[in-house]
Amino acid sequence: MLETVASLTLKRDLHYAKRGIGNCLISGITWGMDAVLLGYLLTKYPFNDPNTAMQASLIAACIHTGFSSFFILLYNFYTGKTKEFGRCLFSKMGVLIIISAVLSGPVAMSGYLLGINMAGASYTAVITSSYPAIGTILAVMFLKEKLNKRTLIGILLCVAGAIITGYVSPTNTVHSTFYLGVVFAFIAALGWGLEGVFGAYAMDVVDPEIAISVRQTVSFLMYIFFVIPFINGFELLVHSFTASNVLVLIAAGIVCSVSYISWYLGLSMTGVGRAMALNITYPIWVIILDWLINGVHASPNLIIGCLVIVFGAILVSGNPKGMLTLREYKE
Amino acid sequence: MKMKLPMKFRMLQLICERSIQLKIINTDEIIKLIKLEYGNERQCCTKTIKTHILALKSVGLIAEIHVCQKENQLISEYKSTRAGINKMKLIPNTAESYKEWLPFKGQVGVLVNHNS
């Protein structure tokens, strides 16, 4: 009887850990789908105008966040968690999620785009791909997250794989703003890394589905009240709502909502390091979807990068028993 | 205006209060107490409550100290950890259950000594 109880308890805990891994993988797959949809959107009018490339990316991010925020709110209404939104917002945890929303939404996204503009896409991609490593270090420091060597190697491989897939040979021309661009890219990576840590800390006592709802809503409001007026983008924002664009934006909003809900559930159930490492598997899905939809063949560095990511992801998620206790506190 | 704590937070508070009183609380009791307070909300169901308990356990805010089986269901007994007690500092004074926590505030040492 005792053995039965012990094995049932272990089964229950392993089921919970596996659900966490599943959520992280869903977040990666749907983030890849979302990237493909947004990539397609940016080839359409008015986003494809070279004169407004920077504005267009931020406006696309704003609308996409807005739709996602709306769909997550609808989902929370359906699951009967609407009241939790206010409770979270007016608690001390709400403040933390708001800070995280500001850091990971407009700040990180602007840093990413400014990095591309000033330092070039290759350096920015490499620097920003390191966000899971930054998140892991911060989680170990501040959340006392427990990670064994195998998981740490897995996380590093996922980061390395993401860097390889996103790598483009840098040009020899160094702009006068290059170092400032590198700083902006680091700000983006830090913003995304901090989001994981702040989010995980808040989700200790707040439902992940509410935390992500607050995060997306605040992020959208930040775009509308601060980012769009700053880049003078309201005209472009209005022109974005063409009939064909709206359908893509709604689809991207739904996919993004699924991705973010899974991402936050994963953060809460498997810890920051693992969740980020599994989330960064999204380049694999982008490549597969690009090949299926657009017939784009992967280059050698994409294939090598993907293999490295897959190997890293296996190391990270291969042993759910290591996830039964995520943190190490001294009693 | 007084507001309820987020349901997951309230569950942790209940476990912490019991622990400070050196009492044990089990899954059934948590479900019963939470349903009394949040029962009129669709989110308040056994499945969600059990998921929140596992989440609190996995991040080390509560500890499972005994498990038994009753009618094919696992019934676990829980106590709070020091990390869980530390989270009580985050209860806002606008929360309905803030006053309920006040008498326990000075007794945190009791639990810490009990755990060590």
Side-chain angles (χ1 to χ4, degrees):
Chain A
M1 184 68 182
L2 258 177
E3 255 185 14
T4 314
V5 169
S7 65
L8 280 172
T9 307
L10 182 65
K11 202 172 154 185
R12 177 202 66 189
D13 291 351
L14 282 176
H15 176 69
Y16 177 80
K18 284 174 185 171
R19 261 177 57 207
I21 294 168
N23 274 307
C24 295
L25 288 171
I26 290 168
S27 85
I29 296 166
T30 45
W31 198 244
M33 289 165 72
D34 189 55
V36 171
L37 282 167
L38 283 178
Y40 171 76
L41 187 78
L42 291 172
T43 64
K44 298 276 174 200
Y45 171 83
F47 301 107
N48 56 1
D49 184 350
N51 298 323
T52 56
M54 281 286 287
Q55 276 181 312
S57 301
L58 283 168
I59 285 160
C62 165
I63 302 168
H64 169 253
T65 305
F67 272 109
S68 153
S69 161
F70 173 71
F71 289 124
I72 295 173
L73 281 169
L74 270 185
Y75 172 76
N76 284 330
F77 175 75
Y78 170 76
T79 53
K81 293 181 180 178
T82 321
K83 286 179 180 173
E84 289 280 294
F85 190 93
R87 289 168 193 156
C88 171
L89 209 57
F90 292 102
S91 72
K92 291 172 185 175
M93 286 295 129
V95 174
L96 204 60
I97 297 167
I98 289 168
I99 295 168
S100 137
V102 172
L103 285 172
S104 60
V107 171
M109 199 64 202
S110 305
Y112 177 65
L113 293 170
L114 288 166
I116 289 172
N117 193 267
M118 294 176 175
S122 56
Y123 289 102
T124 305
V126 169
I127 293 163
T128 53
S129 294
S130 69
Y131 82 88
I134 293 170
T136 303
I137 292 164
L138 293 170
V140 171
M141 279 168 62
F142 297 111
L143 299 178
K144 307 283 178 263
E145 200 158 286
K146 208 170 65 174
L147 296 166
N148 56 27
K149 267 185 195 171
R150 172 193 157 126
T151 310
L152 281 170
I153 291 166
I155 291 167
L156 287 173
L157 283 173
C158 286
V159 171
I163 289 170
I164 294 166
T165 54
Y167 187 74
V168 184
S169 295
T171 53
N172 292 328
T173 50
V174 174
H175 299 283
S176 56
T177 56
F178 173 80
Y179 292 106
L180 188 60
V182 168
V183 170
F184 278 121
F186 268 114
I187 288 171
L190 189 66
W192 288 325
L194 279 169
E195 177 193 15
V197 179
F198 284 2
Y201 184 79
M203 286 184 288
D204 282 355
V205 292
V206 171
D207 189 317
E209 289 170 358
I210 297 301
I212 189 56
S213 188
V214 172
R215 186 258 189 225
Q216 287 294 79
T217 306
V218 170
S219 197
F220 173 64
L221 293 174
M222 290 295 298
Y223 275 117
I224 286 291
F225 291 112
F226 296 99
V227 177
I228 304 298
F230 183 73
I231 61 169
N232 206 5
F234 279 111
E235 198 183 334
L236 195 62
L237 181 78
V238 172
H239 289 155
S240 304
F241 289 91
T242 63
S244 60
N245 284 356
V246 167
L247 286 174
V248 179
L249 281 164
I250 288 172
I254 292 169
V255 171
C256 173
S257 304
V258 174
S259 185
Y260 263 119
I261 290 171
S262 311
W263 162 232
Y264 266 51
L265 283 167
L267 275 173
S268 147
M269 294 165 101
T270 64
V272 177
R274 290 182 193 88
M276 283 187 169
L278 294 172
N279 179 258
I280 212 171
T281 58
Y282 73 86
I284 300 169
W285 312 109
V286 172
I287 290 157
I288 292 168
L289 289 164
D290 241 358
W291 173 65
L292 285 172
I293 298 164
N294 305 320
V296 176
H297 288 283
S299 59
N301 69 318
L302 286 180
I303 293 167
I304 294 164
C306 279
L307 289 172
V308 174
I309 291 175
V310 169
F311 188 59
I314 289 167
L315 285 180
V316 166
S317 59
N319 184 17
K321 279 186 181 175
M323 293 174 220
L324 300 182
T325 312
L326 298 173
R327 297 182 200 164
E328 206 153 28
Y329 293 117
K330 283 175 187 168
E331 271 303 307
Chain B
M1 194 187 80
K2 294 286 179 197
M3 200 176 257
K4 281 179 185 171
L5 277 180
M7 194 169 85
K8 192 175 175 182
F9 201 171
R10 178 65 180 142
M11 285 164 60
L12 179 64
Q13 186 187 352
L14 288 170
I15 298 166
C16 287
E17 285 172 2
R18 285 296 182 91
S19 298
I20 285 175
Q21 293 169 302
L22 304 183
K23 288 176 184 169
I24 299 299
I25 189 165
N26 69 25
T27 318
D28 281 351
E29 279 178 283
I30 297 168
I31 292 168
K32 194 178 80 185
L33 290 167
I34 288 296
K35 281 190 175 176
L36 277 175
E37 287 183 42
Y38 296 82
N40 61 343
E41 296 169 26
R42 208 166 40 245
Q43 63 153 337
C44 186
C45 61
T46 303
K47 190 185 165 194
T48 305
I49 294 169
K50 283 184 174 178
T51 303
H52 284 337
I53 293 172
L54 285 177
L56 293 169
K57 184 173 89 83
S58 71
V59 294
L61 300 183
I62 61 173
E64 193 171 41
I65 49 173
H66 182 253
V67 190
C68 63
Q69 211 177 347
K70 201 172 88 180
E71 295 160 14
N72 284 335
Q73 290 284 315
L74 286 177
I75 306 292
S76 303
E77 292 180 342
Y78 294 99
K79 71 170 185 179
S80 171
T81 61
R82 197 188 300 196
I85 292 282
N86 281 338
K87 292 279 180 194
M88 293 300 103
K89 288 184 291 198
L90 299 169
I91 298 178
N93 53 14
T94 51
E96 275 178 16
S97 56
Y98 178 73
K99 275 187 178 173
E100 188 188 299
W101 172 249
L102 287 176
F104 298 102
K105 241 178 151 177
Q107 297 177 49
V108 171
V110 175
L111 180 79
V112 170
N113 293 332
H114 178 66
N115 285 346
S116 50

